[in-house]
Structure formats: C-alpha cells, structure tokens
Amino acid sequence: MEEIKEFVINFTKQEAETIYLRRQPDLENYNKALQVMDDYSDESLHDTFGMIKLIQLYDQEYYEKWGGEKYPNTRHIYKISHYKDDKYGDVYLVYLSTGNPRDGIFTYGACLFLAKVDNRLKFIRKYIFGDEMLVKDKFEGGQGLEDISFNTLKKPINIERYLEPADDEDGMEHYLKDI
C-alpha cells in the first residue's frame, strides 16, 4: 500500500504545481505541468480536474488577481481501500479532499479509482463527493472508464485510514465504513 500512497502523494504535489503555474503568465510551463499531471490518469480523465490545456494566456486581470496567491495546498488523503477486480486486478479507491483544500478544514472531496493499465498505475475513475439536491453528500455520477464503479467492486481486501474528514459529518460516516 506504500507504493500506492506514494503515487497519490506525487499526484497531489503535481496537481498543486499545475494549479500554481496556471496562475502565472507562462503558457509553456503550465501546459507542460498539466501534461505531467495528466500522465497520472487514464485518457478518459484528462481535463476533469478543473484544468485544461491552454492555447493562449488568460487576460492580464486574471494574473493580477491570482498571481500573488500563496502556493496551493496538496489534497488531504483520508483513506485508501484495496479491492480485487476481475478485469483490473488490484484496484485502490483513494478518498481525498478537494484540490487546494483550505488550511485546517478536513472534508471529503473526491474518490479516485487507481489500477494498473498497461503495467502503469493510473487513475481510471473519479467521483465527486456531493449530491445534486444538497441533501446528503455521497459519491455520485462518476467520470472515466465506464466498466468499473462502486457497484462492480466487492468487499475490500484492506483499508488504510490516514486522516479523518472531521469537519464533514457525511464524510465521517463514510470514512468509518469498511468500504
């Protein structure tokens, strides 16, 4: 599980770097960073983390507004659950905060499915934590590969918990479940 956690940590660092570079008026550096970030995911998840390849810079006002912001925080890792899947083999569900979480606030944001594709670890599916009716937060929708989901996975083999989403009642309820 240490290899998986290290992969996720490296992804969150790259995501923070890409967010930071998007705020700078350097198209080439931002697009290179985004390409590195996209390499962590299956192609079906490219452009699903709130950033897309740019063909021109934003207006100067954007850089004046965002360029001075502090370096983004990396996502919090709350829990990783390990499953076996008939098609993908070892599949890891990684429960994270949102990108660039606010200091000292611990809430669920996303669940990323991680598996080996062509012998390389890749995120293959992504869920956001929240429902359309704003009644109760839960994982809905989903983007990425269509042949895997919460419903296709059985019982987890192993679960490692790292940090409680203590500021999120629905997140804590989910965090404590053996899923």
Side-chain angles (χ1 to χ4, degrees):
M1 196 76 97
E2 196 57 37
E3 173 190 11
I4 301 308
K5 186 177 180 190
E6 189 66 29
F7 180 89
V8 174
I9 288 169
N10 289 336
F11 167 76
T12 64
K13 288 177 180 177
Q14 183 61 44
E15 180 185 40
E17 175 73 3
T18 306
I19 291 169
Y20 174 77
L21 289 173
R22 181 180 60 187
R23 298 174 182 168
Q24 311 307 312
D26 188 326
L27 197 65
E28 185 177 345
N29 280 344
Y30 165 72
N31 283 333
K32 283 181 183 177
L34 181 62
Q35 178 59 52
V36 172
M37 189 179 133
D38 280 346
D39 286 344
Y40 283 86
S41 300
D42 178 77
E43 190 175 330
S44 63
L45 288 177
H46 293 184
D47 299 334
T48 65
F49 289 92
M51 293 175 277
I52 60 172
K53 183 177 180 177
L54 295 178
I55 55 173
Q56 65 183 33
L57 290 174
Y58 294 117
D59 292 334
Q60 186 60 33
E61 294 84 33
Y62 174 87
Y63 300 106
E64 289 169 5
K65 178 179 179 180
W66 295 105
E69 290 288 314
K70 73 176 186 119
Y71 195 86
N73 297 320
T74 58
R75 290 180 189 250
H76 303 301
I77 303 172
Y78 295 113
K79 175 168 90 169
I80 300 175
S81 300
H82 178 196
Y83 292 81
K84 282 284 188 192
D85 180 73
D86 292 338
K87 180 174 182 180
Y88 294 99
D90 292 309
V91 176
Y92 301 87
L93 275 56
V94 181
Y95 298 94
L96 302 165
S97 66
T98 58
N100 191 19
R102 296 201 316 233
D103 291 326
I105 298 180
F106 302 101
T107 60
Y108 261 11
C111 179
L112 305 179
F113 286 37
L114 179 62
K116 284 197 174 180
V117 176
D118 297 328
N119 254 357
R120 289 187 57 217
L121 282 173
K122 295 271 186 179
F123 293 114
I124 60 173
R125 189 129 175 103
K126 174 186 170 189
Y127 288 86
I128 301 298
F129 194 63
D131 70 350
E132 292 179 12
M133 301 303 292
L134 302 175
V135 175
K136 184 170 183 69
D137 283 338
K138 55 188 173 184
F139 292 104
E140 288 190 343
Q143 297 171 295
L145 298 180
E146 296 287 329
D147 59 352
I148 190 164
S149 70
F150 287 109
N151 295 329
T152 64
L153 297 173
K154 310 296 183 242
K155 187 177 178 184
I157 297 168
N158 185 28
I159 299 171
E160 287 191 9
R161 291 175 174 87
Y162 305 105
L163 179 65
E164 292 183 351
D167 299 311
D168 182 348
E169 186 177 323
D170 294 334
M172 275 302 297
E173 181 182 318
H174 181 277
Y175 174 84
L176 295 171
K177 291 181 181 178
D178 287 335
I179 52 176

